[in-house]
Amino acid sequence: MHLTTNYLVAILIGFSAFNANATETDFWVERRAGMIWEIQATVDYTREETGVFEIDQEVMHSLSRVPRHKFVPEEIRELAYENRPLPVGHGQTISQPYIVAYMTEQLKPKKDYKALEIGTGSGYQAAVLSGLVRHVYTIEIIEDLGKRTKKRLKDMKYKNITVKIGDGYFGWKENAPYDIIIVTAAPDHIPPPLVQQLKPEGVMCIPVGGRFQVQNLTLVRKDKDGSVKTKRIMPVRFVPFTRKD
Ligand code: SAH
């Protein structure tokens, strides 16, 4: 029953995406609607384990508007809307759509929020967030990847995303504090500067675990008084968080 309702929602979202992107070919629009359906189905199948019963409609809407095929290398565009991670060069990956949806949902983004992302990669997660918050600041450590993504986001006219090349361990002090922080590479501990740059009542979603350990997607919440609570929410697999030598 629940699945059926969500299926209808997925179709409606696909349809509204079609209207919003009138110049896009049906081919990609249909595939994207399929991806939305798969995310919805994954939410339904995993609800007992994850405790997430549905993804906010605004988040789903943002996912339905971002042309994921433009964020992956030309040779694998056909695979862009499958619910799996894909290589984006330099040994890095664009996360699985379900994980992007799940992490975005955990952050509870709002229109007036300032967000920080560590691990720009292809820029896909930043693009999804950009439809939900006021501004996204994002940091990539691999210079070539960061430069290419900066150009991609500019060409695609994402005006509320700023990309910086550097080591995200230290965050981005100039624009702090942030309402939400998302880390899309796994460090073996939570970088203290990121906790410092989180606003009171802010939340960070970060995979934590060493190279050969289980990584745990972790939620870090800062209370009004500045005290911090962490909660592990699910085992995940991300590329390692690297450091500049
Ligand atoms: N969010 C990306 C997925 C990125 S994969 C997307 O939507 O496509 C993780 C990225 O984190 C990689 O590009 C990797 O180079 C980057 N990364 C790893 N360690 C980092 C660090 N210390 N600072 C900034 N970026 C880092």
Side-chain angles (χ1 to χ4, degrees):
M1 177 61 189
H2 189 71
L3 190 62
T4 317
T5 318
N6 284 338
Y7 184 57
L8 285 175
V9 169
I11 290 173
L12 287 173
I13 287 175
F15 184 67
S16 70
F18 176 75
N19 286 338
N21 298 287
T23 53
E24 224 187 342
T25 63
D26 291 1
F27 180 82
W28 295 118
V29 174
E30 274 167 26
R31 264 156 191 74
R32 197 151 60 247
M35 178 191 81
I36 295 292
W37 154 240
E38 273 203 48
I39 293 173
Q40 205 76 71
T42 310
V43 170
D44 283 330
Y45 297 142
T46 57
R47 57 202 279 193
E48 299 303 330
E49 297 98 82
T50 62
V52 170
F53 282 59
E54 62 182 332
I55 305 272
D56 186 84
Q57 289 307 308
E58 293 278 325
V59 174
M60 292 305 268
H61 193 236
S62 189
L63 282 156
S64 75
R65 292 174 65 93
V66 178
R68 187 169 155 98
H69 62 282
K70 294 192 178 158
F71 290 81
V72 303
E74 192 95 44
E75 319 82 74
I76 53 168
R77 278 204 167 163
E78 292 280 323
L79 304 175
Y81 294 103
E82 293 194 7
N83 192 19
R84 55 182 263 197
L86 291 169
V88 291
H90 296 278
Q92 306 305 322
T93 53
I94 176 172
S95 307
Q96 177 192 3
Y98 169 73
I99 291 290
V100 174
Y102 182 87
M103 288 178 83
T104 309
E105 167 71 20
Q106 295 297 324
L107 294 167
K108 306 272 180 238
K110 292 204 173 71
K111 280 282 177 225
D112 59 336
Y113 276 8
K114 199 165 29 159
L116 175 68
E117 179 193 33
I118 309 301
T120 315
S122 69
Y124 179 71
Q125 171 75 68
V128 169
L129 262 182
S130 83
L132 299 160
V133 301
R134 180 158 51 90
H135 203 96
V136 182
Y137 294 92
T138 178
I139 308 177
E140 171 55 53
I141 200 164
I142 300 176
E143 188 172 353
D144 179 54
L145 193 54
K147 278 188 178 158
R148 278 193 291 130
T149 297
K150 203 176 199 168
K151 182 176 181 312
R152 170 181 302 131
L153 293 169
K154 189 169 176 251
D155 291 348
M156 293 176 79
K157 312 237 179 320
Y158 285 102
K159 295 206 166 62
N160 63 341
I161 304 176
T162 315
V163 183
K164 168 170 119 164
I165 291 152
D167 182 351
Y169 186 90
F170 303 104
W172 195 336
K173 223 174 166 180
E174 291 80 354
N175 308 301
Y178 302 95
D179 299 282
I180 52 183
I181 300 180
I182 181 167
V183 183
T184 62
D188 60 5
H189 65 276
I190 300 170
L194 297 184
V195 179
Q196 267 160 21
Q197 291 173 27
L198 200 57
K199 254 188 202 169
E201 300 195 285
V203 55
M204 166 159 58
C205 188
I206 176 169
V208 187
R211 273 175 198 245
F212 305 106
Q213 292 168 337
V214 173
Q215 299 167 0
N216 285 294
L217 197 59
T218 305
L219 275 187
V220 180
R221 282 184 198 286
K222 194 182 257 190
D223 286 344
K224 255 191 196 146
D225 64 3
S227 63
V228 172
K229 289 195 188 75
T230 64
K231 185 177 152 201
R232 293 174 173 184
I233 47 177
M234 76 161 145
V236 284
R237 194 143 161 199
F238 277 80
V239 295
F241 192 98
T242 56
R243 303 296 313 278
K244 283 240 187 284
D245 298 321

